Amino acid sequence: MSKGKFYITTPIYYPSDKLHIGHTYCTVATDTIARYKRMCGYDVMFLTGTDEHGQKIEEKAKEAQVTPQQFVDNIVEGPKGVKDLWKLMNISNDRFIRTTDDYHVESIQRIFKKMYDNGDIYKGAYKGMYCTPCESFWTESQLVDGKCPDCGRPVRYAEEEAYFFKLSKYAKPVQDLLETGTFLEPASRVNEMINNFIKPGLEDLCVSRTSFKWGIPVDFDPGHVVYVWVDALFNYATGMGYLNDRYDDYDHYWPADVHMVGKEIVRFHSIIWPAMLMSVGEPMPKKVFGHGWLLLDGGKMSKSKGNVVDPYLLAERYGTDALRYFLMREFPLGSDGNFSNEALISRINTDLANDFGNLLSRTVSMVEKYFDGKLIADRESDPLDDDLVGMASSLRDRYENEMDHFGTQAAATEVFKVLSRANKYVDETAPWVLARDPEKKPRLATVLYNLLEALRICVVLLQPYMPDTCVKAFEQIGAPEAVRTWESASEFGALPADVAVVKGDTLFPRIDMEKELEELENLNNPAPAAEPVLPDVTIDDFAKCDMRVVKVLSCEAVKKSKKLLKFSLDDGSGTPRQILSGIAAFYKPEDLVGKTLVAILNLPNRKMMGQDSCGMLLSAVKEENGEEKLHLLMLDDAIPAGYRLC
Ligand code: ME8
């Protein structure tokens, strides 16, 4: 019998780049809770997906010289893409929504029209500061030091005809909702929303764009595309079939029980999302939980600090379950946490290899050695057992109490307290001493039974964290299906008294910390592979390549491109030559003026971002911290422009 429905979501990911360990953290947290609820007997619906529209994707696709659809298809469906990553991480989502899916597009058009028809969307002109990477308009008062308050990057003035959503109309009911005290967690985020956003006055929200195309068209006003956040937030409803025929369980699962979101998007989920739902007359989600960020050395994720943040590499090296466990055990969900390779390895060694893996393997080995693998335990109690038996019997209650309040870290800690207690019990009871005295064999059987039983209860409760490992552990313990359940976890003694163990592989091999950290460092900064020399070319072929010394007359960034710099070059001909080069990330344009470089002049002209590029500047490519770094070839300034290289 189901305990009722439980609908949980992750944010839908923005596929502008490959996902890193921070994104993985959020999805693993949601998956852990979803698995926990399933284990408790809820009818769980777990939705995740990708948020694929917007200007940033359009720009990235242009730079990659593919269509936006091809661009997102590759990151979502392609090798080592979003779907592959969730498979690798053993994410148990029931559904995956892409905002480019036809049914979602149709629903959004209907939703937009519905809000327009009921008078909550009107046409106006937007004038304000816009952050392109975040796709967010900001008021002057919201800017921090004149920059985007979310990402800290520069904003630009933007003005365009646009539709507006009457967010201001919903300020009061949204504030009331926030003040219920259960809608938004952790509670600290409630004040932040009210004081920073509602009290200063909610302004109407610009909900359409005309300055780019990659979005869902407003069907009654071609030229406008729906603001990406309107499109994205409604995924939680369209993914269940709201205003579409693709799914038909909206009535069953809505309202969502939990939206898990990162702290920077709490504003969208706890203010804009409820207001839009009020506008279309749908019930409020029951809870928004704003989790913290994984940081690297106190700052945002990037590879430059020498830590590996590629979840593929980490999962392949240590195993999916070890990585899942680390993410959930190391950091409390509501706060920020500092990621480091050292913390990860230390957790694996201390908790998984030692406290858990070693206890399991020692216990199973002793049952094999002293009882040929099969126990007959009469379970006569001894005061020495009370503490362990008591702790293990009541573990489920403590665990449940934490899990029901998003205490994934605290719940895992409770489990490991019992495992530590069991390790201590091994020392206290000294089974190897009992084994020397044949009369103590019944006592030895009880001790080993208690250990197996404590382990079994812990393994039941670790299933949401480490699903595959727990199956292996159950097999070694010899736990039948019936005692792998939530119900059986509160019952010390559910394991059959004549249990037969099956010795298996070590669950988590110990890692040599020093050696491993060094290897990880090398993986992040690989020595350049000696590339094989290309096949010979004739001297005549080489001579066809017109390589010249050029001097930089001027250099500037290409508007709307993060990569390109535009050079005006003296090539000795008397007429400046224009070349575009994708090195903006590595040089400041002003630092290059006057430099002596090398260019190939006789390559066919190319158009890049609508501008001509007549030739190519030579540079060397180096991999640094997993990213390509370009170094321009620079020559002695004494060499005049126009000289040929030979
Ligand atoms: O925000 N630590 O997508 P997104 C923890 N498309 N969480 C992190 C993180 C880190 N270092 N970096 C990112 C979007 N995240 C929107 C959502 S929902 C209708 C639309 C989390 O791919 C981040 O906080 O930029 C967010 O919750 C999620 O990854 C997706 O981020």
Side-chain angles (χ1 to χ4, degrees), residues 576-592:
R577 171 179 291 265
Q578 177 165 301
I579 291 183
L580 272 62
S581 180
I583 54 169
F586 316 111
Y587 292 97
K588 286 193 196 138
E590 60 272 21
D591 292 348
L592 293 173

Side-chain angles (χ1 to χ4, degrees), residues 66 79-80 83 110 119 187 209 246 284 341 371 373 391 452 595 625-626:
V66 293
K80 294 203 164 184
K83 285 191 174 173
R110 290 182 188 133
R209 297 281 183 274
R246 174 75 171 76
M284 294 303 107
N341 294 335
F371 294 93
M391 271 179 85
L452 286 178
K595 294 284 187 225
N625 296 320

